[in-house]
Amino acid sequence: MNGPCILGLVLLCGSGLAEENVLMTAVRLGGKTLGTLVQSTNLTGTLSGTGPFTLFAPVDKAFKALNQSVLEKLSGDKELLTRVLSYHVVSGNVTSGQLKNDMVVDTVEGTSKLRTNIYGSKVTVDGANVILPDQFATNGVVHMIDRVLYPLPTQNLLTYVAGTPSLSQLVYAVSMGDLIDFFKGGPFTLFAPTDEAFGRLPPGLLSNLLLNKTALNNVLEYHVILGTVYSAGLSDNQRVQAANNQDLTVKIEGENVIINDAKVTTADVTVTNGVIHIIDTVLLPPSVAAGYS
Ligand SMILES: *[C@@H]1O[C@H](CO)[C@@H](O)[C@H](O)[C@H]1NC(C)=O
Ligand SMILES: *[C@@H]1O[C@H](CO)[C@@H](O)[C@H](O)[C@H]1NC(C)=O
Ligand SMILES: *[C@@H]1O[C@H](CO)[C@@H](O)[C@H](O)[C@H]1NC(C)=O
Ligand SMILES: *[C@@H]1O[C@H](CO)[C@@H](O)[C@H](O)[C@H]1NC(C)=O
């Protein structure tokens, strides 16, 4: 039965055939690319084993949306591909109802962990939407997702920011505010303004902030939400409380996510203790902005 089911022949496989393992189920439900990639690694054997496994299976569209250079890199590096695919597999038969907000889950990959979030009725894994949950198979359960979980998060928030050349002003401000230890905690959502964003601040504002740690930290904490809010958790006209206890306003305009008057230029960078959204404007609490208008 495996042959025809892997090929997704509807008549032979039907829906939810009792003999389908997690991989066959994922392939039938729109994960053909995943099936092909898994077969090029030695994970096929694992996933046909008794498990049970939970497979977060990206649909074909998710692979299409990957940067071509990423896809080429994965296809050319079996070891990396195996790691990335194993990162989509969790030991055990974990239903969507068992996932909690900001839950961190071990994977078969072994080093990087997944983060699940619940936003109202949405369930996400590393920010990817679960679009078809709880498809049971002989050896576990499949949740179809709309994104490939790549790259694997290996850096924490600070190491990511410190390693990103366009965020050097932010790194400097965080160190001047003595917030290094704060950012080692989490989980956090960080709206990270680029150096260009800092460059557009009114003259004198940044230098004044750097002289007053209380004022500086108030501004920096206005860029942080306690807990992990991926784009899937943001909606139009939503107000979210920042770590300085003041509210940020979210706008969704077409494809764009706007926080107050800052545009998110790179969304959903997964780090081990949260998520980073890169923004093009520094967020100023109204009282601070008023002093420079
Ligand atoms: C794809 O990835 C390459 C290398 O990482 C990068 O230079 C390029 O800008 C990316 N393209 C898109 C469309 O994201
Ligand atoms: C599967 O592949 C990985 C990485 O290529 C390798 O380390 C491992 O030993 C292989 N396992 C089996 C059972 O062949
Ligand atoms: C997984 O859990 C579901 C729901 O509790 C159950 O019906 C199914 O038999 C379980 N499957 C395995 C392989 O343990
Ligand atoms: C530093 O900033 C805080 C908060 O904005 C303000 O209350 C305080 O007066 C400032 N201190 C100095 C010395 O300017």
Side-chain angles (χ1 to χ4, degrees):
M1 279 304 285
N2 294 19
C5 280
I6 287 284
L7 293 171
L9 296 179
V10 176
L11 286 178
L12 287 170
C13 299
S15 64
L17 270 201
E19 306 92 276
E20 276 186 347
N21 65 34
V22 285
L23 187 59
M24 291 151 74
T25 302
V27 168
R28 175 171 54 81
L29 296 172
K32 284 203 181 63
T33 312
L34 175 72
T36 307
L37 290 173
V38 167
Q39 280 177 5
S40 74
T41 68
N42 59 12
L43 270 177
T44 324
T46 308
L47 289 178
S48 358
T50 49
F53 298 110
T54 302
L55 173 61
F56 292 99
V59 292
D60 290 340
K61 251 195 197 162
F63 282 99
K64 285 217 182 76
L66 270 187
N67 188 328
Q68 196 57 37
S69 71
V70 169
L71 212 49
E72 277 163 23
K73 191 168 155 192
L74 289 176
S75 311
D77 184 343
K78 287 286 178 271
E79 200 172 317
L80 177 67
L81 180 61
T82 304
R83 279 191 62 205
V84 170
L85 296 176
S86 313
Y87 181 62
H88 291 69
V89 183
V90 170
S91 283
N93 181 29
V94 186
T95 63
S96 64
Q98 291 171 307
L99 301 174
K100 296 193 170 62
N101 191 45
D102 263 328
M103 183 165 130
V104 167
V105 187
D106 281 315
T107 73
V108 167
E109 187 269 334
T111 56
S112 293
K113 294 170 200 292
L114 297 172
R115 181 180 297 278
T116 62
N117 289 95
I118 314 289
Y119 304 120
S121 59
K122 287 187 197 173
V123 177
T124 65
V125 50
D126 282 2
N129 287 291
V130 171
I131 50 180
L132 186 62
D134 302 324
Q135 303 298 306
F136 294 109
T138 49
N139 62 347
V141 61
V142 177
H143 307 293
M144 302 304 292
I145 56 175
D146 67 353
R147 251 191 238 173
V148 179
L149 307 178
Y150 181 87
L152 275 54
T154 52
Q155 296 180 302
N156 66 28
L157 189 150
L158 279 173
T159 49
Y160 178 86
V161 170
T164 305
S166 61
L167 300 176
S168 67
Q169 292 284 321
L170 176 63
V171 173
Y172 181 65
V174 165
S175 67
M176 292 301 282
D178 286 339
L179 287 178
I180 300 280
D181 280 336
F182 170 78
F183 279 117
K184 285 181 182 162
F188 297 123
T189 303
L190 172 68
F191 295 105
T194 58
D195 292 348
E196 257 180 61
F198 276 98
R200 279 200 303 273
L201 282 174
L205 193 151
L206 183 58
S207 48
N208 286 344
L209 284 181
L210 291 170
L211 293 172
N212 181 338
K213 203 179 281 184
T214 310
L216 175 63
N217 287 352
N218 180 44
V219 171
L220 290 173
E221 287 167 13
Y222 195 48
H223 290 76
V224 176
I225 302 170
L226 304 182
T228 309
V229 187
Y230 281 92
S231 340
L234 295 169
S235 55
D236 196 27
N237 291 321
Q238 182 184 9
R239 291 173 79 82
V240 282
Q241 193 180 51
N244 74 341
N245 292 325
Q246 288 183 284
D247 278 359
L248 297 163
T249 305
V250 181
K251 289 268 172 220
I252 312 287
E253 294 173 359
E255 301 258 286
N256 293 326
V257 176
I258 320 279
I259 310 297
N260 287 359
D261 50 2
K263 187 171 139 188
V264 174
T265 53
T266 303
D268 295 342
V269 178
T270 296
V271 289
T272 54
N273 60 339
V275 65
I276 298 173
H277 305 290
I278 296 176
I279 53 174
D280 69 352
T281 304
V282 177
L283 300 170
L284 295 176
S287 59
V288 176
Y292 291 84
S293 58

